[in-house]
Amino acid sequence: MKICKTISETQDYVAKLRKSGKSIGFVPTMGALHAGHISLLKTASLNNDVVASSIFVNPIQFNKKEDLQKYPRTLEDDIRKLEEIECDLLFNPDVDEMYPEPVLDRYNFGNLDKVMEGRHRPGHFNGVAVVVRKLFEIVKPDRAYFGMKDYQQLKIIQAMVSKLGLPVQIIPCPTMREPDGLAMSSRNVRLTADERKIAPVIFRVLNGVRDRMGQHDIAEVEKWAIHQLNNYDELEVEYLEIVNTGTLSKPNSLPEPNSLIVCAAVNLGKVRLIDNLVIN
Ligand code: PAF
């Protein structure tokens, strides 16, 4: 695997690949790779000649300093995993390489970046959009792969690509789960053993939401779900909302013609977990 620390080295390598007509599948990450990332990389390798990944803990998408500092960093282990699955290129820049100057770009994605994560993590999606656009410009992938766990992020990246006419196809991939239902996330390693036992409750409650839809009012179902989660002393719901899959806006009435998704962010000890489930 070719490991590039600089933008120019990556661009040179990518230019050679593109000249020889190779298609590039790209999986951007912040490292601490788990089976969810590996599944994205494997999907990328099925549909492209070359697989590229990036590991960059993007400081401008963290709205809490502590969260950035505590983000797991496991570079050696990550490189080993990437080599094992025969990833061709890893772009692993330093912060100064990505942001030699203060970032001034400001995106507006309408409702998409105002609700849920956007409301609770101001500036987060702007930071994601800035870094993903820059990564796309450097790696020039034909296709880029994103997990559905970060559903709102996926919608924002799709909107950015469409708004700016970026020449990359965004491929959504299903959330990978542990056998007990917990969505795989780099943050899971920060859960204590006791917290880890409680964490699958989130997915169980999301399933409960799905079962209740159609028979109850949406607001009632949301209330029920928040209550179920807050019943656990260790859990603190930041938000749990049932929204349209396309616009992320609140459905007006039932029956709703568009499909719905329930999205939640829940604090468990010092770890913030997000998850979602498409309802119909
Ligand atoms: O989902 C992530 O890991 C990050 O938000 C991403 C897309 C790599 C941008 O930093």
Side-chain angles (χ1 to χ4, degrees), residues 26-31 37 40 54-59 61-62 71 99 121 124-125 127-129 131-132 135 145-147 150 153 157 186:
F26 180 43
V27 180
T29 82
M30 298 205 295
H37 295 115
L40 297 178
S54 60
I55 295 179
F56 178 62
V57 183
N58 177 31
Q61 72 183 74
F62 287 83
Y71 202 84
Y99 304 127
R121 300 178 70 189
H124 167 66
F125 286 124
V128 170
V131 80
V132 171
L135 290 169
Y145 297 78
F146 291 89
D150 296 296
Q153 165 172 286
I157 291 166
S186 302

Side-chain angles (χ1 to χ4, degrees), residues 26-279:
F26 180 43
V27 180
T29 82
M30 298 205 295
L33 302 183
H34 52 69
H37 295 115
I38 303 302
S39 133
L40 297 178
L41 288 153
K42 283 189 176 157
T43 309
S45 77
L46 289 178
N47 302 312
N48 300 277
D49 300 316
V50 167
V51 177
S53 185
S54 60
I55 295 179
F56 178 62
V57 183
N58 177 31
I60 65 166
Q61 72 183 74
F62 287 83
N63 56 324
K64 285 192 185 144
K65 217 171 165 188
E66 193 201 352
D67 201 19
L68 170 63
Q69 279 161 354
K70 293 220 170 118
Y71 202 84
R73 288 164 173 83
T74 55
L75 186 61
E76 260 180 45
D77 210 34
D78 292 345
I79 291 177
R80 192 184 44 74
K81 286 179 183 163
L82 290 172
E83 280 175 339
E84 232 168 66
I85 60 148
E86 299 182 0
C87 178
D88 301 277
L89 166 66
L90 169 63
F91 177 46
N92 174 222
D94 292 333
V95 174
D96 290 346
E97 179 70 10
M98 286 297 272
Y99 304 127
E101 279 166 28
V103 177
L104 301 175
D105 304 2
R106 292 289 172 268
Y107 290 91
N108 183 351
F109 294 104
N111 188 56
L112 292 183
D113 65 350
K114 309 289 180 297
V115 296
M116 300 190 293
E117 290 297 289
R119 184 153 38 83
H120 290 270
R121 300 178 70 189
H124 167 66
F125 286 124
N126 201 69
V128 170
V130 168
V131 80
V132 171
R133 181 179 181 183
K134 192 152 185 176
L135 290 169
F136 284 171
E137 281 165 0
I138 297 164
V139 177
K140 295 194 171 42
D142 296 273
R143 297 175 196 85
Y145 297 78
F146 291 89
M148 297 262 294
K149 184 179 81 74
D150 296 296
Y151 186 78
Q152 195 171 357
Q153 165 172 286
L154 170 69
K155 297 311 290 179
I156 279 169
I157 291 166
Q158 285 173 328
M160 177 180 75
V161 164
S162 137
K163 206 166 169 167
L164 302 173
L166 303 180
V168 54
Q169 198 185 342
I170 302 300
I171 315 284
C173 299
T175 302
M176 296 297 287
R177 298 187 180 279
E178 302 291 353
D180 59 13
L182 175 65
M184 288 185 183
S185 162
S186 302
R187 293 167 198 262
N188 292 354
V189 295
R190 291 181 48 218
L191 295 169
T192 64
D194 285 344
E195 288 165 354
R196 175 64 189 80
K197 281 188 202 142
I198 295 169
V201 167
I202 301 170
F203 187 52
R204 284 211 291 279
V205 170
L206 296 184
N207 275 290
V209 167
R210 182 150 77 177
D211 296 344
R212 276 164 180 75
M213 288 297 290
Q215 309 155 30
H216 303 269
D217 181 67
I218 288 180
E220 256 174 52
V221 180
E222 286 176 344
K223 217 167 136 190
W224 169 85
I226 292 169
H227 183 70
Q228 295 301 306
L229 292 165
N230 282 339
N231 263 341
Y232 289 80
D233 287 343
E234 298 83 351
L235 297 178
E236 189 210 323
V237 178
E238 212 168 274
Y239 65 81
L240 182 143
E241 292 185 33
I242 297 165
V243 295
N244 279 305
T245 50
T247 57
L248 304 186
S249 56
K250 289 261 178 211
N252 292 325
S253 60
L254 276 178
E256 174 64 32
N258 303 310
S259 66
L260 301 177
I261 183 166
V262 52
C263 302
V266 180
N267 290 302
L268 174 47
K270 292 204 162 84
V271 186
R272 186 175 185 276
L273 299 172
I274 62 168
D275 201 354
N276 62 69
L277 189 65
V278 174
I279 290 173

